[in-house]
């Protein structure tokens, strides 16, 4: 790292998961070089307190900080996550559910067969093309096993976690303050902006003034600095991501061990998440206020969970979109202040991590030049758009048409050129993997993820147009695939035993 490029002082506004993740990363990378990191949060305002599922990148975050699973998981009621099970997104027979796996090295043996079969079926050949029999994480989820490869089966796995957002925030605060981050409880009432649109200070309602070289806006949907003080425009994604509200409630843990996947069940105007923790289940109905109202959504959630009428729920509003630029002058926006892509793939913390790491790299490499700003903002914008395309595809490619919500979500034409090209390749029997490579979008979601979604819904010719495979098609023995995946899964520990071991070691 080139010395001297990093800011001497950083003030982070916001003590939600985003703020504390950033505080830890800045302290880790720049604390030793003399940067002072201060985090300000308001105990009067509090945090949003949802956001309990992650992508595999959260493991990278803890690895970077040198924090073992035994140290943080039991403290945060955390469980392992091998992927997401989607239920009810397709009315096509045989496609009532499918699993989006976080990839493991074992899957590289069966992925070519899956790709081959999906392409053959897209051209009307009768071969097995539902993803669920092909991949190890799906089997681990169905058998409730932790994705921890034992020494006698040394295949790499990638996995995410489920966790209690409040406990994770408290844990990250403890680590950060122990490592030298200053923590201040204050209500920021105004932001002092200099003539050149640089932030000079945050000013608390009791008159305290906080100055720094760099200000990080992690103030949640309020976006106090980036939008409130700097007026950076917000670009809404409502034209093709309709959901703007959520209603949430926890339920007690069922008698069996907590599962190792998130479940996303499609409902009349959105979808309901099921996130198993070690002490409770997190549930939430993410819906569009254009198609249902809060009372009806709450009733639909209660009915889904078997709760009595009037059982307590919490309502949340979501602002889906992103600020045009995340890095403006001496302000970096992260977390909900930066943008939000609805929680379907649990990508928010992943973007926080990518933003802060990319920012640190940019500053280390190029200081704070206008070119560094532009390249960084362009990178972040592309990441949002890439992930957005993947989430939009979940709705647009779904095969459900029982309500106005689903008819509109599956019938609109608000698609990026990139997504249009993917659909064209898929529905014309083309090489989708080649299309992903051409577009260079593999960094956001892999070809495997896209294939699982499109095939999982059953986006193939109608059954009436499916014909026997013919001599030109290679036939894979699916019983052999089942035996292989099942045999591999047997090497992995039961989820509950793995959680018990972590607890004992803590
Ligand atoms: C319904 C829903 C489900 C979600 N599910 C997931 C998921 O599964 N996975 C995932 O990764 N993400 C998910 N998210 C997103 C996730 O909740 C957030 O990314 C995460 O919690 C980080 O939020 P934050 O830190 O940006 O904001 P917040 O938690 O809202 O924190 C904002 C902070 O700013 C402080 N603050 C604000 N204004 C002031 C002020 N004037 N003075 C002082 N302090 C101030 C507050 O006190 C607070 O500390 C979900 C979001 C929603 C809405």
């Amino acid at each position: 790292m080139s010395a001297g490029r990093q800011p001497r002082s950083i003030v982070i506004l916001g003590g939600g998961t985003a703020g504390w993740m950033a505080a830890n990363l800045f302290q880790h990378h720049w604390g030793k070089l003399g940067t002072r990191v201060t985090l300000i949060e308001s105990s009067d305002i509090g945090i949003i307190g949802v956001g309990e599922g992650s992508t595999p990148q959260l493991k990278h975050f803890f690895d970077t900080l040198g924090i073992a699973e035994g140290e943080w998981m039991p403290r945060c009621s955390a469980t392992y996550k091998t992927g997401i099970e989607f239920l009810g997104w397709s009315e096509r027979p045989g496609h009532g559910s499918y699993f989006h796996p976080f990839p493991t090295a074992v899957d590289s043996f069966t992925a070519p067969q899956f790709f081959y079969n999906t392409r053959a079926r897209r051209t009307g050949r009768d071969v097995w093309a539902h993803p669920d029999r092909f991949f190890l994480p799906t089997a681990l989820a169905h058998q409730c096993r932790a994705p921890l490869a034992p020494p006698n089966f040394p295949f790499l796995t990638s996995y995410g976690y489920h966790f209690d957002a409040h406990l994770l925030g408290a844990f990250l605060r403890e680590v950060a303050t122990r490592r030298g981050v200053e923590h201040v409880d204050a209500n920021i009432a105004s932001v002092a902006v200099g003539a050149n649109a640089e932030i000079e200070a945050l000013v608390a309602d009791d008159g305290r003034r906080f100055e720094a070289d760099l200000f990080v806006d992690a103030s949640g949907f309020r976006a106090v600095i980036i939008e409130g003080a700097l007026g950076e425009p917000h670009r809404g994604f409502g034209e093709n991501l309709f959901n703007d509200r959520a209603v949430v409630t926890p339920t007690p843990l069922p008698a069996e061990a907590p599962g190792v996947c998130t479940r996303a069940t499609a409902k009349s105007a959105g979808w309901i998440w099921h996130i198993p923790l070690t002490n409770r289940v997190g549930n939430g109905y993410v819906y569009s206020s254009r198609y249902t109202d809060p009372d009806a959504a709450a009733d639909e959630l209660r009915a889904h969970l078997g709760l009595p009428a009037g059982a307590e729920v919490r309502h949340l509003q979501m602002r889906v979109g992103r600020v045009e630029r995340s890095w403006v002058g001496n302000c970096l926006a992260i977390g909900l202040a930066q943008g939000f892509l609805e929680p379907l793939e649990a990508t928010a913390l992943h973007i926080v991590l990518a933003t802060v790491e990319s920012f640190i790299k940019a500053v280390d490499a190029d200081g704070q030049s206008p070119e560094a700003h532009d390249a960084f903002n362009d990178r972040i914008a592309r990441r949002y758009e890439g992930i957005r395309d993947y989430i939009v595809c979940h709705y647009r490619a779904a095969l459900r048409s029982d309500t106005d919500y689903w008819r509109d979500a599956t019938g609109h034409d608000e698609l990026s050129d990139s997504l249009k090209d993917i659909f064209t390749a898929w529905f014309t029997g083309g090489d989708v993997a080649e299309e992903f490579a051409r577009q260079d979008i593999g960094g956001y979601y892999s070809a495997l993820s896209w294939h699982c979604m499109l095939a999982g819904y059953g986006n193939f010719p109608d059954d009436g147009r499916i014909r026997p495979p013919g001599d030109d098609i290679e036939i894979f023995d699916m019983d052999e695939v089942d035996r292989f995946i099942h045999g591999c899964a047997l090497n992995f520990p039961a989820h509950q035993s793995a959680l018990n071991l972590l607890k004992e070691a803590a």
Side-chain angles (χ1 to χ4, degrees):
M1 163 169 179
S2 338
R5 293 183 189 272
Q6 72 281 354
R8 283 161 303 165
S9 55
I10 302 175
V11 163
I12 299 169
L13 177 61
T17 319
W20 285 114
M21 281 177 82
N24 274 289
L25 287 169
F26 283 128
Q27 185 67 25
H28 176 79
H29 286 281
W30 287 341
K32 54 186 178 271
L33 300 172
T35 299
R36 277 182 296 109
V37 182
T38 304
L39 185 145
I40 302 171
E41 68 175 322
S42 160
S43 49
D44 295 340
I45 295 173
I47 65 170
I48 190 159
V50 282
E52 305 199 321
S54 87
T55 62
Q57 277 74 11
L58 194 63
K59 179 163 188 337
H60 166 71
F61 168 75
F62 281 111
D63 289 348
T64 300
L65 297 183
I67 297 172
E69 289 176 345
E71 211 179 320
W72 77 270
M73 285 183 67
R75 290 271 313 272
C76 302
S77 302
T79 59
Y80 291 102
K81 172 178 174 186
T82 68
I84 305 174
E85 185 167 38
F86 291 84
L87 301 107
W89 293 70
S90 171
E91 292 160 341
R92 187 153 189 183
H95 292 271
S97 72
Y98 81 94
F99 197 86
H100 173 204
F102 292 148
T104 68
V106 164
D107 303 320
S108 60
F109 294 102
T110 47
Q113 299 168 22
F114 173 58
F115 290 157
Y116 183 89
N117 278 13
T118 53
R119 191 165 186 191
R121 193 154 186 109
R122 283 189 279 129
T123 58
R125 311 305 186 91
D126 189 7
V127 292
W128 189 267
H130 191 291
D132 283 8
R133 289 168 74 184
F134 287 92
F135 302 113
L136 176 67
T138 317
L140 295 179
H142 291 158
Q143 297 177 21
C144 207
R145 292 177 187 272
L148 305 174
N152 64 331
F153 193 78
F155 286 92
L156 274 183
T157 55
S158 72
Y159 55 84
Y161 306 97
H162 305 118
F163 47 83
D164 180 306
H166 284 277
L167 296 178
L168 180 63
F171 177 83
L172 292 177
R173 178 175 66 222
E174 190 184 303
V175 173
T177 51
R178 198 171 61 226
R179 293 181 178 187
V181 172
E182 189 188 352
H183 179 208
V184 177
D185 189 347
N187 285 311
I188 296 304
S190 63
V191 179
V193 184
N196 54 359
E198 296 273 304
I199 306 294
E200 289 175 348
L202 305 186
V203 186
D205 56 3
D206 58 8
R208 276 178 293 170
R209 204 178 146 88
F210 302 92
E211 295 179 357
D213 287 347
L214 173 73
F215 293 86
V216 177
D217 189 347
S219 63
F221 284 132
R222 291 164 190 253
V224 171
I225 310 176
I226 192 83
E227 286 188 64
L230 293 176
E232 185 64 12
H234 183 269
R235 188 159 125 51
F237 290 162
E239 74 273 15
N240 55 19
L241 289 177
F242 300 168
N243 298 338
D244 57 357
R245 304 241 174 167
V247 51
V248 304
T249 193
T251 47
L253 208 56
E256 65 269 24
V260 286
C261 67
T262 299
R263 285 211 306 266
T265 306
K267 301 304 278 186
S268 70
W271 60 278
I272 289 179
W273 79 70
H274 168 105
I275 291 188
L277 308 183
T278 57
N279 60 342
R280 64 172 166 81
V281 176
N283 311 282
Y285 184 11
V286 178
Y287 66 93
S288 168
S289 61
R290 268 189 272 163
Y291 297 86
T292 191
D293 60 59
D295 289 343
D299 285 345
E300 203 173 342
L301 176 67
R302 290 187 191 103
H304 177 78
L305 298 172
L307 296 175
E312 201 180 324
V313 295
R314 183 158 75 101
H315 291 276
L316 294 167
Q317 299 210 11
M318 308 188 307
R319 202 159 165 243
V320 173
R322 65 171 171 87
V323 287
E324 287 289 346
R325 296 172 301 166
S326 299
W327 182 11
V328 180
N330 61 346
C331 170
L332 174 71
I334 60 166
L336 298 173
Q338 174 191 25
F340 185 49
L341 274 165
E342 87 133 87
L344 186 56
E345 284 283 344
T347 46
L349 299 182
H350 158 149
I351 298 178
V352 170
L353 181 59
T355 300
V356 175
E357 289 201 325
S358 177
F359 177 81
I360 289 171
K361 247 191 214 156
V363 171
D364 284 351
D366 204 11
Q368 308 214 19
S369 66
E371 294 75 27
H373 270 77
D374 290 347
F376 170 87
N377 284 324
D378 188 45
R379 243 187 342 268
I380 297 299
R382 275 190 288 120
R383 181 173 288 269
Y384 267 101
E385 303 303 320
I387 297 175
R388 173 199 183 170
D389 273 350
Y390 186 67
I391 295 180
V392 168
C393 187
H394 277 284
Y395 294 96
R396 187 60 177 71
L399 294 176
R400 187 169 170 155
S401 57
D402 57 325
T403 60
D404 285 347
Y405 173 88
W406 286 104
R407 283 186 285 278
D408 291 350
T410 56
H412 66 80
D413 278 328
E414 298 292 339
L415 303 176
S416 68
D417 289 344
S418 160
L419 196 46
K420 280 182 191 157
D421 288 345
I422 290 169
F423 281 150
T424 302
W426 181 271
F427 288 106
T428 58
D431 187 335
V432 184
E434 201 172 83
E435 181 57 33
F436 294 138
R438 187 186 69 76
Q439 294 194 27
D440 193 21
I441 54 177
Y444 312 123
Y445 278 95
S446 67
L448 181 73
S449 298
W450 286 91
H451 275 79
C452 282
M453 182 193 336
L454 289 161
Y457 288 154
N459 280 290
F460 297 115
D462 295 339
D463 289 350
R465 290 195 291 137
I466 295 286
R467 59 188 192 284
D471 292 343
D472 57 328
I473 295 292
E474 192 179 347
I475 303 293
F476 299 109
D477 180 349
M478 286 308 297
D479 290 338
E480 188 55 41
V481 172
D482 289 343
R483 273 194 296 279
F484 172 72
I485 293 295
H486 182 74
C488 289
L490 291 179
N491 290 286
F492 289 77
H495 192 205
Q496 189 63 63
S497 322
L499 296 174
N500 291 346
L501 274 180
L502 286 176
K503 219 171 175 179
E504 283 160 23

